[in-house]
Amino acid sequence: MINDHAQTLSAKATEVSDGLFAYIQPDGTWWINNTGFIVSDRMVIAVDSCATENRSRRFKETIHRIAGKPVRTLINTHHHGDHTHGNFVFDEATVIAHDACREALIAEGPPQTAPVAASGAWETPDWGTIRLAPPFVTFTERLNVYADDMLCEVRHLGVPAHTTNDSVVWIPERKVLFSGDLLFNGGTPFLLAGSVRGSIKAVEALKQFGAEVIVPGHGPVGGPEIIDDVLDYLRFVQDTARQAHAAGLAPLEAAREIDLGQFAALSDSERLVGNLHRAYAEIDGGPLGGPIDVRKALDDMVAYNGGRPLTCWA
């Protein structure tokens, strides 16, 4: 079990626009996500919770210290546990997400029994006592939420991408975008639960907003350059998959042979293997975001990592 308390304490809320905060958790790797919150006159809107009870309670404490107001609305950008396990901590909040986020979260269950979290692929974090708290207000394409008179658009971009149920939170008045895991900054994007082709389409669509400040799902706050960086990686995965599939290489073989080049500095490089599994499924004609052998992909990722469980400091 790994639980780096000092690292948990290093999480920091940064005001990216008046009353808009990014909550950044170093180092942004496995199960260590970013969240955020928007302060209005009477309440707070939070964007995502955290993977563990400890991290989520610390996030809530940070909001209270800065805003001194209750969190009345919690928006989940997608169903993955690093963004939803801590929903239950915000017991006074209306939890909002895409229709498919609720379905996926219920199907997956709490981390103690969820197939992915309990797979043994990671050095197991101290989850705490997690109670499942799925969204109970859902939408299909778009939902408007207001912080006083400031519009916050919660948008689904129409295709499976990082998952089947990704949403972004766009505040047009401030040109601030909370992207969820459609964007990683400094880390390897992960597409096993979604789609490579769909991710390219969704990430390209992010340019329509004209965001000046982007809070990614993992990694430091940045600007629109993050979009192009992620697109470069996604196209690299797609091109690698096409060539390796045509050559008859299995995803693990392809990952071991490929030169990561400009992407070698990204954290969690073993995600390439899972991404290739997803890309191969699409090449073979599978539906975007359709079923895939997740356990096989995770086992191959561990093999790529030298047979060691994937590092998790959550």
Side-chain angles (χ1 to χ4, degrees):
M1 180 188 303
I2 294 180
N3 184 12
D4 187 346
H5 184 63
Q7 187 193 56
T8 303
L9 294 176
S10 70
K12 183 179 179 181
T14 300
E15 193 167 19
V16 297
S17 184
D18 186 23
L20 274 62
F21 292 83
Y23 185 74
I24 306 301
Q25 297 194 99
D27 58 357
T29 54
W30 287 115
W31 299 96
I32 303 175
N33 66 314
N34 295 333
T35 62
F37 57 100
I38 302 159
V39 181
S40 71
D41 285 344
R42 296 180 296 105
M43 65 174 190
V44 173
I45 300 168
V47 181
D48 284 328
S49 57
C50 307
T52 69
E53 180 179 7
N54 178 46
R55 286 180 176 271
S56 295
R57 292 197 183 282
R58 185 160 185 82
F59 174 42
K60 185 177 182 180
E61 289 166 3
T62 299
I63 294 173
H64 180 73
R65 174 174 53 80
I66 291 173
K69 298 166 185 175
V71 177
R72 296 297 190 197
T73 305
L74 171 61
I75 301 167
N76 286 152
T77 59
H78 61 291
H79 77 282
H80 282 163
D82 51 337
H83 297 258
T84 60
H85 282 167
N87 284 0
F88 76 99
V89 168
F90 298 91
D91 51 0
E92 297 180 344
T94 298
V95 186
I96 296 171
H98 186 264
D99 299 329
C101 177
R102 175 180 169 84
E103 296 168 5
L105 187 54
I106 291 172
E108 191 162 287
Q112 294 85 349
T113 58
V116 172
S119 67
W122 292 273
E123 299 164 319
T124 306
D126 180 4
W127 302 114
T129 305
I130 302 295
R131 300 194 309 274
L132 200 65
F136 54 93
V137 174
T138 65
F139 68 96
T140 301
E141 296 178 359
R142 171 175 171 168
L143 183 69
N144 291 340
V145 178
Y146 287 86
D148 298 327
D149 293 328
M150 185 170 64
L151 172 64
C152 306
E153 300 178 8
V154 189
R155 301 271 293 273
H156 176 64
L157 297 177
V159 289
H162 173 67
T163 67
T164 60
N165 54 85
D166 303 290
S167 301
V168 300
V169 182
W170 165 237
I171 300 96
E173 180 181 321
R174 306 294 182 80
K175 297 190 180 300
V176 174
L177 177 70
F178 291 88
S179 72
D181 283 4
L182 291 180
L183 297 177
F184 287 68
N185 189 11
T188 303
F190 193 43
L191 314 169
L192 186 60
S195 165
V196 179
R197 191 160 75 242
S199 287
I200 291 172
K201 183 175 181 180
V203 173
E204 284 179 336
L206 294 179
K207 293 185 176 183
Q208 69 180 289
F209 297 116
E212 295 177 359
V213 176
I214 295 176
V215 182
H218 298 257
V221 173
E225 71 282 351
I226 301 175
I227 297 174
D228 286 326
D229 290 345
V230 171
L231 281 172
D232 286 345
Y233 178 80
L234 298 177
R235 289 169 178 146
F236 162 75
V237 171
Q238 193 171 62
D239 290 344
T240 298
R242 286 170 178 161
Q243 296 173 28
H245 187 277
L249 296 176
L252 178 57
E253 294 173 317
R256 283 172 167 164
E257 289 194 8
I258 193 68
D259 180 2
L260 291 174
Q262 71 187 87
F263 308 111
L266 298 179
S267 64
D268 309 308
S269 59
E270 67 275 359
R271 291 176 183 165
L272 173 62
V273 186
N275 295 340
L276 290 174
H277 272 270
R278 174 54 66 184
Y280 274 36
E282 293 175 11
I283 291 171
D284 290 336
L288 304 190
I292 195 170
D293 189 343
V294 172
R295 186 54 188 259
K296 170 60 175 169
L298 290 174
D299 287 346
D300 280 355
M301 288 164 60
V302 170
Y304 182 89
N305 197 45
R308 302 180 302 277
L310 311 181
T311 301
C312 176
W313 296 95

